[in-house]
Amino acid sequence: MELPYKVDFTGKVVVVTGAGGVLCGDMARAFAQAGAKVAALDINLPAVEELAAECRELNETCLAYKADVLSKESLEDVHQRILKDLGPCDLLINGAGGNNPRATTDNEYQHEAKEGQKTFFDLEPEGVDFVFKLNFQGTLLPTQVFAGDMAERKRGCILNISSMNAYVPLTKIPAYSGAKAAVSNFTQWLAVHFAGTGIRCNAIAPGFLVSDQNRALLFNEDGSPTTRSGKILTGTPMGRFVDSSELLGGVFFLCDDRAASAITGVVLPIDGGFSAYSGV
């Protein structure tokens, strides 16, 4: 992996949740390449085991752990293992999250709904609840478990993953948009709460990336862009999707105590200009 710039996290223990996914998998690889001791957490153990194996081949330190970010018991168990294997947590990347079809409407606007489509009125309460828990509690619970290491030593950094949806909600995905808005708000709350302990807390808000979660929304089966994809690119001044590797510069900067020592409570858009464009 080509890192965005030279940075040294040697000796730092970095815990990354959701490391089995594309975005946080890249973050875990980047921190390992920058000298950190990385704990890659995901409910999908084979995915993080593959990631850890890739890092070992490069003589980098990355260990895989199965963890459920919605279970404090699971996280506490993994925490004890990480303390034994790597040491106390210095940096926590709260990357676990995502959407769910049960909390997504088929139509963008109610007046355009057709018979047989899943509308706002058909959203499953359990699906909405799952999305909120995965994104918000999936950020809160790991912070409760791992930030204690930082509070004891009066230093550390937390990085949450918000979204462009937190600024302006997208159609079809009300639960995900609301949950990410909660993550941004929680980031600011944590920054204030921990300010006197030496812990900084920030977030990034990625723009539109292509992933397995949203591929069907952005591209048709023949590979052509959907109407929704066209709207996104029209509203993005750079006229393209963001690549996961383009998040790393912002991630490194916010997590570097030397470069960002006075920065806390910030949600950094990395969005190709989407949040700056009025459409005119």
Side-chain angles (χ1 to χ4, degrees):
M1 176 181 292
E2 184 177 351
L3 299 182
Y5 57 87
K6 185 177 176 63
V7 63
D8 186 7
F9 287 102
T10 299
K12 298 288 188 182
V13 175
V14 181
V15 176
V16 184
T17 70
V22 174
L23 271 63
C24 292
D26 279 353
M27 293 178 198
R29 289 184 184 89
F31 275 107
Q33 189 171 330
K37 296 182 289 185
V38 176
L41 278 57
D42 204 282
I43 199 165
N44 182 355
L45 182 58
V48 284
E49 285 181 331
E50 181 178 347
L51 167 65
E54 292 174 8
C55 291
R56 283 197 300 272
E57 289 180 1
L58 299 171
N59 294 318
E60 298 163 357
T61 303
C62 179
L63 300 182
Y65 301 88
K66 181 174 182 177
D68 180 357
V69 294
L70 297 182
S71 167
K72 196 170 184 180
E73 181 180 0
S74 169
L75 291 165
E76 288 175 339
D77 176 68
V78 170
H79 179 216
Q80 292 304 311
R81 293 169 58 196
I82 293 172
L83 284 172
K84 181 179 178 180
D85 296 340
L86 301 174
C89 176
D90 295 296
L91 296 170
L92 171 63
I93 312 296
N94 281 314
N99 195 26
N100 187 281
R102 294 178 296 165
T104 302
T105 66
D106 290 335
N107 54 302
E108 292 191 353
Y109 309 105
Q110 181 61 33
H111 70 277
E112 295 179 351
K114 298 177 182 179
E115 186 177 352
Q117 287 186 326
K118 182 173 62 177
T119 72
F120 166 76
F121 301 104
D122 301 315
L123 294 178
E124 301 177 25
E126 296 82 4
V128 172
D129 188 49
F130 172 76
V131 170
F132 263 91
K133 284 184 175 179
L134 178 59
N135 291 278
F136 181 69
Q137 290 195 38
T139 298
L140 184 149
L141 293 178
T143 303
Q144 284 186 318
V145 171
F146 291 101
D149 292 353
M150 306 177 197
E152 288 180 5
R153 294 176 298 150
K154 298 189 180 302
R155 67 177 188 273
C157 180
I158 301 164
L159 185 75
N160 296 329
I161 310 301
S162 184
S163 169
M164 280 297 97
N165 293 290
Y167 291 91
V168 180
L170 298 185
T171 57
K172 293 189 175 184
I173 51 175
Y176 183 73
S177 295
K180 285 302 187 181
V183 169
S184 289
N185 185 280
F186 184 52
T187 298
Q188 295 175 313
W189 188 93
L190 286 171
V192 173
H193 186 71
F194 284 136
T197 67
I199 301 172
R200 296 183 303 106
C201 183
N202 295 293
I204 60 168
F208 296 92
L209 300 100
V210 180
S211 67
D212 291 337
Q213 286 190 358
N214 66 7
R215 195 177 304 277
L217 290 172
L218 300 178
F219 296 97
N220 298 309
E221 291 184 2
D222 63 2
S224 61
T226 62
T227 301
R228 188 174 181 84
S229 188
K231 288 182 178 181
I232 290 170
L233 296 178
T234 298
T236 303
M238 283 187 164
R240 63 176 177 83
F241 293 107
V242 177
D243 187 80
S244 61
S245 65
E246 294 179 298
L247 305 180
L248 299 177
V251 169
F252 274 179
F253 168 65
L254 291 174
C255 291
D256 187 346
D257 287 332
R258 293 162 296 184
S261 57
I263 298 177
T264 193
V266 165
V267 181
L268 175 66
I270 306 175
D271 64 348
F274 182 87
S275 59
Y277 184 44
S278 71
V280 178

